[in-house]
Amino acid sequence: MKIKCRGSGASDRTTTMRILMLAQFYPPVIGGEERHVRNLSIALARRGHSVTVATTWQRGLEERDIDEGVCIRRLRGSMQRVGLLFSDASRRYAPPFPDPELMYGIRELVLEQSPDIVHAHNWLLHSYLPLKRESGPGLVVTLHDLSLVCVQKNAMRQGAPCDGPAPGRCLRCASRFYGPVKGGVTLLGNYLFGALERRVVDKFLAVSEAIAIGNSLSKARLPFEVVPNFVPDDFGSARPCDDPRLSQLPGDGYLLFVGDLRRFKGVHVLLEAYAMLNNAPPLVLIGRRCPDTPRELPPNVILFESWPHDAVMQAWRNSLFGLAPSILPDACASVVLEAMVVGKPMIATKVGGMPELIDEEVTGLLVPPGDAVALAKAIGLLIGNPDLRRQMSAAAQKKVQSFKASTVVPRIEQIYSDIAVKYLT
């Protein structure tokens, strides 16, 4: 590691570091967490750091790749070879305990790369924890969910918010979600290695205050900072997109939902609310079909599956406003930031990190989760009030500046630098 000091204070120090990212999924596997890891890795590489991402191998992808200056290593895991363990063959996640092959692959990368910082995301971390040494490298973990306290990672129980962890309750919940055998093993692995995680991590980065509170970071006296997701500085700039899928969109002025088409994302509530409206613009849904995706749609609702990101951004530009009616406590919804970049007001639920992104009646509207009547009323209000939409659009584009890479990434660099220096002294 090369450290250049411009002054005596920590805020003046800049570092050029070797960084190893651990992420169980990476694009082209798509999701908010995956997009965050990619954005952060590329931003760090552009700022002169050497960045390698270790991720799980998925069928059809190369084991070694380069993505805008970031070295991608896709590691094969023992659990990933057992296809029956996973309900979605395209998302074979890392287990909550050390996977022998993944641990070996990460060990080889650590020896090869000699990283100054390991920055982990999600359960792939647990295959690194046995390799962590007191001599370093420093370990940073971004919490995108509630995995420290919930084996489902979302603090939901039978479709409703959970009252909190308890051994018997968690075992029953895990067994229902993963199956009796896999649920018990998953719960035990997450409990044991979550305890180790609490002991050896140098700093947790919670993507929202809601995630910090939900994981009891202050209560457990764990070292942490709240560092939100971000969008690249040039994100949202008008770029030509000639994707043929765009021709399937209705005319400008539709309502838009982007995300997994799942019950806990509030899709069922959204469809119920939309059916209450009269003469509403078309409702467009863009996302991944899941087992609980509604099979029947109300009239004037159009569903498109998993579009490429440039096409999604063009869909945002042509929309009237966006909808994020999640029932679960979303951590720091990237989809909200993406809509704000192009000046779209959002209607979202008052749960998780949503109130930290959306200023009520300034950049959007917030409604109670699961309340179709309140959601329909909010939709009707924005449809019928173009002046309010224009005001919210300007406010959204102003607020999102604090979620740009040039604001957020230097904070992460400083955290890296402070931790790396600790291991040099």
Side-chain angles (χ1 to χ4, degrees), residues 25 29-31 34 58 86 88-93 260 288:
F25 300 127
V29 179
I30 295 298
E34 292 77 35
Q58 306 292 326
F86 305 95
D88 186 345
S90 66
R91 297 178 73 89
R92 299 189 181 194
Y93 52 82
D260 283 351
R288 185 169 60 102

Side-chain angles (χ1 to χ4, degrees), residues 221-287:
R221 298 183 178 178
L222 297 173
F224 78 95
E225 288 189 31
V226 175
V227 181
N229 292 339
F230 65 90
V231 291
D233 289 350
D234 60 353
F235 190 77
S237 57
R239 292 180 297 182
C241 181
D242 57 359
D243 194 298
R245 297 173 183 84
L246 294 170
S247 64
Q248 303 174 50
L249 289 170
D252 292 357
Y254 49 83
L255 317 181
L256 183 58
F257 168 95
V258 176
D260 283 351
L261 303 169
R262 304 198 62 176
R263 180 175 289 274
F264 63 61
K265 287 292 187 179
V267 172
H268 293 71
V269 180
L270 174 57
L271 295 181
E272 182 183 350
Y274 185 75
M276 299 177 185
L277 301 171
N278 294 317
N279 301 316
L283 170 61
V284 174
L285 312 176
I286 302 177

Side-chain angles (χ1 to χ4, degrees), residues 36-320:
H36 171 80
V37 172
R38 181 175 187 265
N39 287 342
L40 177 57
S41 300
I42 291 174
L44 290 167
R46 288 176 177 172
R47 295 169 74 90
H49 304 289
S50 173
V51 183
T52 298
V53 175
T55 187
T56 56
W57 177 83
Q58 306 292 326
R59 186 173 299 171
L61 300 179
E62 297 291 334
E63 293 187 5
R64 292 172 177 250
D65 205 352
I66 299 291
D67 182 16
E68 296 194 32
V70 177
C71 178
I72 311 300
R73 298 288 186 89
R74 297 187 175 94
L75 309 177
R76 295 178 184 265
S78 301
M79 295 295 102
Q80 278 73 29
R81 297 180 186 276
V82 187
L84 293 176
L85 291 175
F86 305 95
S87 57
D88 186 345
S90 66
R91 297 178 73 89
R92 299 189 181 194
Y93 52 82
F97 47 82
D99 178 291
E101 286 186 87
L102 290 176
M103 190 166 65
Y104 176 80
I106 294 171
R107 176 181 176 274
E108 292 299 298
L109 276 177
V110 170
L111 292 174
E112 173 190 316
Q113 303 286 332
S114 297
D116 303 301
I117 291 290
V118 174
H119 188 162
H121 309 257
N122 223 299
W123 279 346
L124 188 56
L125 163 69
H126 292 181
S127 290
Y128 171 73
L129 290 177
L131 306 173
K132 178 73 168 68
R133 300 290 179 261
E134 290 186 6
S135 59
L139 177 58
V140 175
V141 173
T142 291
L143 293 172
H144 301 269
D145 51 38
L146 301 175
S147 55
L148 270 182
V149 296
C150 175
V151 73
Q152 285 195 65
K153 307 181 183 182
N154 56 23
M156 297 289 287
R157 184 167 177 259
Q158 294 183 297
C162 179
D163 294 330
R169 181 189 302 144
C170 291
L171 180 58
R172 289 191 297 272
C173 193
S175 297
R176 279 192 296 266
F177 188 75
Y178 294 105
V181 175
K182 191 166 65 169
V185 172
T186 302
L187 179 64
L188 180 61
N190 197 49
Y191 174 79
L192 292 176
F193 286 92
L196 178 58
E197 183 178 347
R198 290 177 177 88
R199 290 201 301 272
V200 304
V201 170
D202 291 290
K203 181 153 286 187
F204 289 96
L205 307 185
V207 297
S208 64
E209 289 283 354
I211 289 298
I213 294 169
N215 281 295
S216 299
L217 298 182
S218 291
K219 184 177 180 180
R221 298 183 178 178
L222 297 173
F224 78 95
E225 288 189 31
V226 175
V227 181
N229 292 339
F230 65 90
V231 291
D233 289 350
D234 60 353
F235 190 77
S237 57
R239 292 180 297 182
C241 181
D242 57 359
D243 194 298
R245 297 173 183 84
L246 294 170
S247 64
Q248 303 174 50
L249 289 170
D252 292 357
Y254 49 83
L255 317 181
L256 183 58
F257 168 95
V258 176
D260 283 351
L261 303 169
R262 304 198 62 176
R263 180 175 289 274
F264 63 61
K265 287 292 187 179
V267 172
H268 293 71
V269 180
L270 174 57
L271 295 181
E272 182 183 350
Y274 185 75
M276 299 177 185
L277 301 171
N278 294 317
N279 301 316
L283 170 61
V284 174
L285 312 176
I286 302 177
R288 185 169 60 102
R289 281 187 183 271
C290 302
D292 58 354
T293 299
R295 296 183 180 275
E296 296 184 7
L297 303 176
N300 223 22
V301 176
I302 308 165
L303 188 155
F304 301 111
E305 289 192 60
S306 302
W307 279 15
H309 194 245
D310 283 349
V312 171
M313 290 308 300
Q314 188 59 53
W316 275 122
R317 293 185 187 95
N318 297 344
S319 69
L320 204 61

